[in-house]
């Protein structure tokens, strides 16, 4: 571990906005943005493939992140560590889940919800509930992670059913 500093997600999200790095907060932190009472020890971000190099440089220079060799930064999944904190960065243009649903970054990004925290002067871009459900439909080798994904899907489907529908005119 390089950094002894705790990872600061809010600081990272503000820097991503300042540097105009297109990202989506995904995983359990995104589910929490939709109101779920869940917490997780790692952070998952889907970064636009054209912005991933700048994203990794930002992690490296600002947070002293431990990253794989830059020659590996073009892989679809790259894991970084800031102290004990794990940051998974997904960066393919397209993801296909276990049900064959294609999720294209640009489309998911365009449909994303922007959650605002005025106290922190922060905006967080998270996938829509439907896209987040689709992103959770992946088989996990770890039974605990698989159970968490199913729990997250159930939660998201519940809040989706209870959200008021907008009427079209």
């Amino acid at each position: 571990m390089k950094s002894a500093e705790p990872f600061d997600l809010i600081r990272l999200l503000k820097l991503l906005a300042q540097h105009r790095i297109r990202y989506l907060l995904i995983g359990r932190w995104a589910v929490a943005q939709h109101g779920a009472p869940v917490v997780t020890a790692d952070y998952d971000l889907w970064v636009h493939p054209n912005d991933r190099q700048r994203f990794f440089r930002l992690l490296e220079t600002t947070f002293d992140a431990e990253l794989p060799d830059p020659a590996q930064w073009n892989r679809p999944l790259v894991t970084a560590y800031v102290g004990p904190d794990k940051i998974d960065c997904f960066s393919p243009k397209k993801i296909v889940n276990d049900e064959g649903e294609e999720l294209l970054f640009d489309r998911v990004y365009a449909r994303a919800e922007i959650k605002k925290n005025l106290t922190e002067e922060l905006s967080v871009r998270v996938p829509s509930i439907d896209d987040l459900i689709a992103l959770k439909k992946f088989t996990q080798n770890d039974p605990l992670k698989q159970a968490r994904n199913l729990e997250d899907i159930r939660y998201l489907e519940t809040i989706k059913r209870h959200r008021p529908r907008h009427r079209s005119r």
Side-chain angles (χ1 to χ4, degrees), residues 95-148:
I95 296 174
V96 180
N97 70 13
D98 288 350
E99 295 183 355
E101 292 174 279
E102 288 187 353
L103 297 147
L104 294 142
F105 181 90
D106 290 332
R107 289 184 186 160
V108 175
Y109 187 84
R111 291 188 297 257
E113 294 182 24
I114 298 172
K115 305 289 186 174
K116 294 186 185 231
N117 180 326
L118 300 178
T119 307
E120 296 287 346
E121 296 177 9
L122 173 71
S123 294
V124 180
R125 190 174 289 267
V126 296
S128 68
I129 290 177
D130 287 334
D131 286 334
L132 195 51
I133 289 169
L135 284 165
K136 288 286 186 174
K137 293 180 179 177
F138 286 92
T139 303
Q140 296 284 338
N141 293 331
D142 179 341
L144 181 58
K145 288 181 181 180
Q146 184 69 26
R148 286 182 184 152

Side-chain angles (χ1 to χ4, degrees), residues 19-86:
H19 290 271
R20 292 191 169 105
I21 294 173
R22 292 163 290 178
Y23 78 92
L24 293 157
L25 183 65
I26 59 174
R28 291 198 108 195
W29 280 102
V31 176
Q33 293 301 309
H34 284 290
V38 294
V39 228
T40 181
D42 67 338
Y43 305 91
D44 300 309
L45 293 135
W46 188 3
V47 175
H48 192 284
N50 295 344
D51 296 341
R52 72 177 138 212
Q53 299 291 325
R54 291 186 307 124
F55 174 78
F56 294 131
R57 290 278 177 234
L58 181 69
L59 281 179
E60 190 174 54
T61 58
T62 306
F63 294 94
D64 196 28
E66 187 177 329
L67 287 155
D69 184 86
Q72 298 178 30
W73 290 2
N74 285 332
R75 293 182 306 172
L77 169 62
V78 174
T79 299
Y81 292 90
V82 176
D85 295 302
K86 178 181 170 194

